[in-house]
Amino acid sequence: MRESEMIICRCEEVTYQELLDTAITYSCSARELKLRTRAGMGYCGGRTCRSIVDQVAKQVGSEQSKKNISLKYQAPIRPVNFVDLGGEGK
Amino acid sequence: MNNVIIIGSGPAGLTAAITCAQKGLEVSVIDEYMKPGGRLLGQLYEQPDGSWWNGINESKKLFQQAVNLGVQFYLETPVFNIEKKDSLWVVYTDKETFQTTNLLLATGAAEAPVPIPGWTLPGVMSIGAAQIMTNVHRVKPGNRGLIIGINVLSSAIAMELKLAGVDIACLALPKNNQITHESAHPKKVLDSLLHVAHMAPSTFVKLGSKLMKNNFMKELGVTFYPRNGVKMWDIPIQLKKAVIEIYGEQEVEGVTIASISSKGEVIEGSEENIAVDFVCIAGGLYPLAELAALTGCPFHYIEELGGYVPLHNEQMMTPVEGLFVAGNITGIEGAKVAAAQGKIAGLSIAKRSGKHQLDEDLKDAVQQGADTRKNAYIQFHPEVDSGRRRIQEEWEEYLVNNTVQFF
Ligand SMILES: Cc1cc2nc3c(=O)[nH]c(=O)nc-3n(C[C@H](O)[C@H](O)[C@H](O)COP(=O)(O)OP(=O)(O)OC[C@H]3O[C@@H](n4cnc5c(N)ncnc54)[C@H](O)[C@@H]3O)c2cc1C
C-alpha cells in the first residue's frame, strides 16, 4: 500500500493524500480541514484521527492556535444510544 | 449539599477520593472502565531500589481504602457530557444523571496515533492496548511483535511484554512524513531516549547518556549508531531503521523496514521484510481533556506537558467555579505524581466545601507534589518542570484580567 492511500479517518474513510491536498489547496485551519474532508466527523467523534488532522493543519495548512483547542469538542464525547440521549432508556 | 463527583478512577481520582472522604465529604467516583485503577493497572516494573511496582496491587490498595471510607463507585459508566446549571454541575452518563457542587476531572491521558501504511489491518494496536491485554487481561497480543515508536512508554512496555514471554522483533521509528516528523528523526528520538538511559542495562546507552550531553556528541552518536541497533533487555532498539509499511492479506503478517539517514530519510534499496503477527504503535501520550473543553475552561498548548491542558493553578483549581483537575489531564507524568496531585485536589475541594484549617495541609501537599516530581523514576518529558512553570505563569496572567472565585 502506498502512503498516499493510507486511511487517516476510519469512520469517514479519508486518506492521507486527501488531507494533504485539501490543507495545501485551501491553506486550512484544523477546523476547516475537518469540515472540508469530514475527517473526525464520523461515529467515533474523531477519537483516533483528531491529533493527525491537527498536525496536518499545523504542518502544511494555516493552523497556529496555542491558546485555544484548535478542534472544538462537542457533547456527546462518547457514543450514546438515542434512547439514553432522549431519556427513554431509564 | 457537601459533595464531590470525581470522573476517573486512576491514581489521581482514587487519591482525591480518599482525601475528600477523610475530610468528611460525600464522594462518588465515575469511570467508564470495568475496573478501578486507570492506567495504573497496566504498570509493572522494577524500581531503582530493586522493589517491583505492581500497578494491580497499588490499584487494589487505593480502591479498598476508598471503599472503606464510604466512597461510592460507578464503574462501566462513561460520562458523555457535563454542564453547569445554576451553581450545580450536571454529569450525564448513559445510566444516570448526577448533580454535584464540586467536580474533579481526573480523566488521565490518551495515546497519540501514528499513521503507517497498513495500520488499519487487524493485529495493529496501540502500545497501551498491548499493555492492558498482557498485564491486566493476561492475554498475549500475539507471539511475535514489532513496536513502532521509540519513547519512554514503548521501552517500558517492551520490557513488560518480554516478561510475559512475548517475542519482540525490535523497536523501530515510524517513516518520516508530515505527521510523524519529530518521532521519525533519529537525533530527536535519541535526545529523549537519553532520559530513559537509567532504566537500561546496556553499557552503550549508559555511556551514551553521559557522553552525549552536547549536540555535537549526539550527532556523532546517531552517525555511528550501530546498524544492528542497541539492545535493551535483549530487544534491539533500531534508531536508524524505520517501518515503511505493515503488510498482510486479512491481518498483520509482517512489516517492511528500511535503513534511514541520521535525518530520517529512507535509504533506497535497504528495505527488508520482518515476519510478525502483531504490531504496536507508540505515538506518545496527550492529556485527555475533552470534558474540561466542554465547560469553556481556557486551555493552553504546552509541549512539555503533552499538548493542550486546561488552565489550572498549583491547588488544582481551574478558573471555572467548582471545577478541579488532577493527574495526567494537567500534563503527562508518572502515576506517583498523579496521586500527589489527587491529594492536592482533594484538599482544595474540602477547603471549598468549608472545611477549616487546611491551609497548612494544602501547602505541604503542594510541596510533596513537587518533591515527587523531582524524584520521579519515569519522566515523559525532560522539561516537565518548565511546562509546570508555564501553566502557573499563564494562570497568573489570567488573574490580571479576570476574576476567579476562590474558596
Ligand atoms: C497506555 C499508557 C501506559 C502508561 N504506562 C505508564 C507506566 O508504565 N508508568 C507510569 O508511571 N505511567 C504510565 N502511564 C502514565 C499514566 O497516565 C499515569 O501513570 C497515571 O495512570 C495517570 O493517572 P490519572 O489518574 O491521571 O489517569 P488514569 O490512570 O489514566 O485514569 C483515568 C481514568 O479516567 C477514566 N475516564 C476517562 N474519561 C472518562 C469519561 N469520559 N467517563 C468516564 N471515565 C473516564 C478512564 O477510564 C481511566 O480509568 C501510562 C499511560 C498510558 C495512557
Side-chain angles (χ1 to χ4, degrees), chain A residues 17-54:
Chain A
Q17 196 62 48
E18 220 178 312
L19 284 172
L20 283 185
D21 291 347
T22 311
I24 292 168
T25 308
Y26 300 99
S27 180
C28 292
S29 66
R31 180 175 147 76
E32 185 181 351
L33 185 56
K34 171 180 108 169
L35 293 174
R36 283 190 184 274
T37 60
R38 290 199 56 82
M41 294 178 74
Y43 172 79
C44 85
R47 290 184 79 187
T48 306
C49 67
R50 160 187 288 272
S51 62
I52 307 181
V53 174
D54 234 353

Side-chain angles (χ1 to χ4, degrees), chain A residues 77-78, chain B residues 7-13 30-33 35 37-40 42-45 53 77-80 106-111 127-129 131 153 156-157 160 285 288 290-291 326-329 332-336 338-339 341 378 380:
Chain A
I77 54 139
R78 291 288 181 277
Chain B
I7 306 178
S9 70
I30 305 176
D31 198 300
E32 59 188 333
Y33 200 57
K35 290 181 184 184
R39 288 302 182 171
L40 188 51
Q43 300 176 16
L44 182 66
Y45 51 83
W53 176 254
T77 309
V79 174
F80 66 81
T107 46
E111 298 186 73
I127 189 78
Q131 183 187 44
L153 192 60
I157 299 176
E160 295 170 9
L285 304 174
L288 186 59
E290 352 159 71
L291 288 172
N328 275 203
I329 185 175
I332 307 304
E333 297 192 70
K336 288 181 183 171
Q341 291 178 318
I378 283 194
F380 289 86

Side-chain angles (χ1 to χ4, degrees), chain B residues 241-260:
Chain B
K241 288 191 180 174
V243 172
I244 51 181
E245 188 187 356
I246 304 167
Y247 63 83
E249 277 297 320
Q250 301 291 323
E251 55 188 328
V252 174
E253 290 170 22
V255 304
T256 307
I257 193 166
S259 293
I260 51 174

Side-chain angles (χ1 to χ4, degrees), chain B residues 180-308:
Chain B
T180 54
H181 65 143
E182 288 213 344
S183 63
H185 194 297
K187 184 154 157 280
K188 298 265 163 60
V189 175
L190 183 63
D191 248 352
S192 54
L193 208 57
L194 293 178
H195 295 276
V196 272
H198 63 287
M199 292 165 64
S202 151
T203 41
F204 181 89
V205 179
K206 276 213 175 121
L207 254 180
S209 66
K210 289 213 186 77
L211 284 179
M212 294 193 238
K213 283 281 185 243
N214 63 47
N215 269 351
F216 172 69
M217 291 303 279
K218 262 176 222 151
E219 206 73 71
L220 275 183
V222 179
T223 312
F224 295 127
Y225 196 82
R227 273 282 153 224
N228 294 330
V230 167
K231 286 191 172 172
M232 264 199 215
W233 305 290
D234 235 14
I235 304 165
I237 313 280
Q238 301 285 14
L239 265 181
K240 303 252 331 233
K241 288 191 180 174
V243 172
I244 51 181
E245 188 187 356
I246 304 167
Y247 63 83
E249 277 297 320
Q250 301 291 323
E251 55 188 328
V252 174
E253 290 170 22
V255 304
T256 307
I257 193 166
S259 293
I260 51 174
S261 70
S262 28
K263 293 208 171 66
E265 295 126 2
V266 171
I267 297 168
E268 247 9 273
S270 67
E271 295 85 355
E272 58 178 312
N273 287 348
I274 300 181
V276 291
D277 61 358
F278 76 103
V279 171
C280 297
I281 291 185
L285 304 174
Y286 67 90
L288 186 59
E290 352 159 71
L291 288 172
L294 297 177
T295 66
C297 177
F299 272 77
H300 287 275
Y301 186 88
I302 298 184
E303 197 190 315
E304 295 86 344
L305 299 179
Y308 290 105

Side-chain angles (χ1 to χ4, degrees), chain B residues 39-111:
Chain B
R39 288 302 182 171
L40 188 51
L41 286 169
Q43 300 176 16
L44 182 66
Y45 51 83
E46 198 177 353
Q47 307 190 90
D49 65 2
S51 64
W52 280 79
W53 176 254
N54 179 331
I56 294 183
N57 290 347
E58 298 297 324
S59 303
K60 267 190 199 143
K61 272 192 263 175
L62 290 173
F63 175 62
Q64 205 47 58
Q65 202 184 343
V67 168
N68 292 345
L69 285 162
V71 173
Q72 282 278 343
F73 280 86
Y74 300 85
L75 299 173
E76 288 183 276
T77 309
V79 174
F80 66 81
N81 191 14
I82 55 176
E83 182 175 47
K84 190 127 186 219
K85 279 198 180 148
D86 303 319
S87 59
L88 283 184
W89 286 101
V90 187
V91 176
Y92 298 91
T93 77
D94 54 13
K95 295 189 179 127
E96 254 177 85
T97 301
F98 301 83
Q99 290 197 335
T100 181
T101 34
N102 300 292
L103 182 60
L104 171 62
L105 303 179
T107 46
E111 298 186 73

